[in-house]
Amino acid sequence: MNSLRTYDIKYLKGIGPRRAELLKKELGISTGYDLVRHFPTHYLDRSKIYTIRELNDEMPYVQLRGRFVSFNTIGEGTKMRLVGLFSDGTATMEVVWFRRIRPIRESLTVGTEYVLFGKPSSYMGIKQMSHPEIDLPSSAMAQQPVRGVYPLTERLRNANITSRQFSAWIATLLASRKTIVDPLPQSVIAENKLMPLGEALAEIHNPTDSERLSRAKLRLKFDELIYIQVDMLRRSMRRKNISIGHKLTRVGEVFNRFYKECLPFDLTGAQKRVIKEIRADVNTGRQMNRLVQGDVGSGKTLVALMCMLLAVDNGLQACLMAPTEILATQHFETISSMLGSLGVRVALLTGSTGKRERQSIHEGLRDGTLSILIGTHAVIEDTVQFKQLGFVVIDEQHRFGVAQRAKLWAKNEISPHVLVMTATPIPRTLAMTVYGDLDVSVIDELPPGRKPVETLLRYDEQRAQVYRAVYGQLRLGRQVYIVYPLIEENEKLDLRSLEEGYQIICDTFKDYKVAFVHGRMKPSEKDYQMNLFASHQADILVATTVIEVGVNVPNASVMIIENAERFGLSQLHQLRGRVGRGADQSYCILMSKHQIAKTTRQRLELMTQTSDGFLIAEADMQMRGPGDIEGTMQSGIPFELHIANLATDGQIIQMARRAAEHLIDKDPTLSLPENSLFARELAAASSGIRDWSRIS
Ligand code: ADP
Ligand code: MG
């Protein structure tokens, strides 16, 4: 593989300097390695011949067999085009060329039988195909039946670079090497029955049959994934060996008094277990990096608080970062009131903290009299200096940027322990990859006495009935959330529908007070409105997804989600988690228009059937593809994925994880001779990448 990395593709037959330049500019391909890693996005079956009569615009690339009846040049100058009338006996269509008109016209004759390959379209009711690939039947038959389709850009197409050329170039390149050196250790190849690398590359670009093609894909995906797994395992090993952390050995007065005097309920079994796991971890003298996953309402905040108290008992400071001001404020309020008269000084720092207050916070942090700081990303500004920061909690981590988190470390001689809490359950295999170097704790139990939220799917025409039910709840003194989507591309329109919705709700529920929150509001206004609801001065909260994370109003018993079909499952699950926090039966009503795609209906129906966050996250990934989850996650891994898909390749991830564990067990430093090629390849693949273990 290494020689491919240094091979300049301009020397490859059929490419040359000009095209090489273009390929580099358009696709970033400059070496043989880049070229063989430019994989087809899908494949076309060229064994089937379609008829012109059956064509429609929806069809992908198709193959036709027939004859040209005539050719005409139409228009002038840059508008000039060549139109050939093509017939296969079932119907006639136009074949259109906008470029290279002369040579094309000269290469084709009326009456000769050709095989055309292209994407059908239509123009004013006339079937068309532009710039198809054209072969004589004999040579069309000689080609492989299954062909790869490569991602190309407009510029490449204009330069007459086609998918077919890609497969040809790669075939030439691979044929010119006697062997492709396979960097995977033989033991890994044998144990996992993998196709050799050279064979897999040849097959993926020029498939011979579907069974071999799927083995080739498996091999190449496995490659990408095992590098990640080995890398993650080694990072976590290195961290455990080197990274020095504060040793929190003492369980002292603050922790014990809190436990005995302040805690209004018993911890759940899962909370106890996770606290134990964390305590064991912070006792080792190494820095802890732990992810706590727990479904909405599982009581993560309390776990975080008790850990912070542990730090305080050991003479250190702690800090909790939340993604929004609302959330930070709420954490501050809950935590301050829980701590009561314990004598631990807690402060809130957000973007809207006043200057005087800010100054006093800064002082308290520097002289160590302030023990716990709660806030938004304001807490990681450069001006914020701790005397001795020992424990950091990052709540709802998926909203925090990587760079923001990294900033925390820079400030301290000894890195603080880090606890990342997420309520978006991450499917196991994905967590294995993206957080492969973190230790994971799971709070898999809800506090007792919670009634599961009853979830209903209702259509727009049932609105009156839904509002009647809402009335019923309001009369019982409960509160109601009504959530509207706010999606960026459509922001104006959505904002209007939100404001209209608000008006309708005000008109419908005249006897009740309605609060109103959306992301475009000033923070102070947002807080004011949120407070109206939290303090029960308002009965209904009309909002966008700003309330998605964390907000806690136990008296709210109804969550209505408008246009539920526009939300992802994990998001719906988060929203639903806002109710069912008190002792009363709660309801989540998913409103949707009647006309929705079958898969959308299935998604919404799944929500009505389960409240298992992990199951929902898994289903969300399967149905939507990696989507949001992967978007943030992909940026979390130090390798580019060309073919493996974190959402759908769960089994291969597991396979790669096991293989990586075997490999590292036997050769932790990858210094055995049989692993040296692999080690080099790993270094090359991850070069220039930041040290992820320092980031989360
Ligand atoms: P999340 O995991 O979603 O952040 P929270 O920490 O906000 O959950 O907890 C949800 C609610 O459950 C809070 O009102 C909290 O006080 C309560 N709670 C937490 N732990 C327990 C427990 N062991 N028993 C009863 N209620 C609890
Ligand atoms: Mg929370």
Side-chain angles (χ1 to χ4, degrees), residues 440-476:
V440 179
S441 291
V442 181
I443 308 184
D444 50 5
E445 181 185 351
L446 293 180
R450 294 269 170 83
K451 293 198 183 76
V453 177
E454 198 175 313
T455 305
L456 306 162
L457 176 58
R458 290 288 178 266
Y459 300 103
D460 286 340
E461 51 273 30
Q462 294 166 294
R463 189 169 295 276
Q465 183 202 337
V466 169
Y467 285 168
R468 268 200 301 280
V470 169
Y471 249 114
Q473 289 290 306
L474 289 168
R475 268 197 295 269
L476 290 171

Side-chain angles (χ1 to χ4, degrees), residues 46 48-52 62-71 84-89 93 95 97 103-118 129 132-141 143 164:
R46 292 206 59 175
K48 182 167 166 58
I49 303 264
Y50 286 79
T51 62
I52 296 175
V62 296
Q63 193 165 234
L64 302 167
R65 187 171 175 154
R67 294 176 161 83
F68 284 102
V69 182
S70 66
F71 289 101
L85 220 51
F86 187 80
S87 166
D88 69 350
M93 71 166 185
V95 179
W97 291 270
I104 286 168
R105 175 65 192 90
E106 280 163 11
S107 67
L108 298 172
T109 47
V110 168
T112 306
E113 193 175 31
Y114 292 112
V115 172
L116 264 54
F117 182 65
M129 192 174 270
E133 283 180 19
I134 300 185
D135 286 302
L136 291 171
S138 56
S139 80
M141 292 308 125
Q143 288 172 28
R164 185 177 356 184

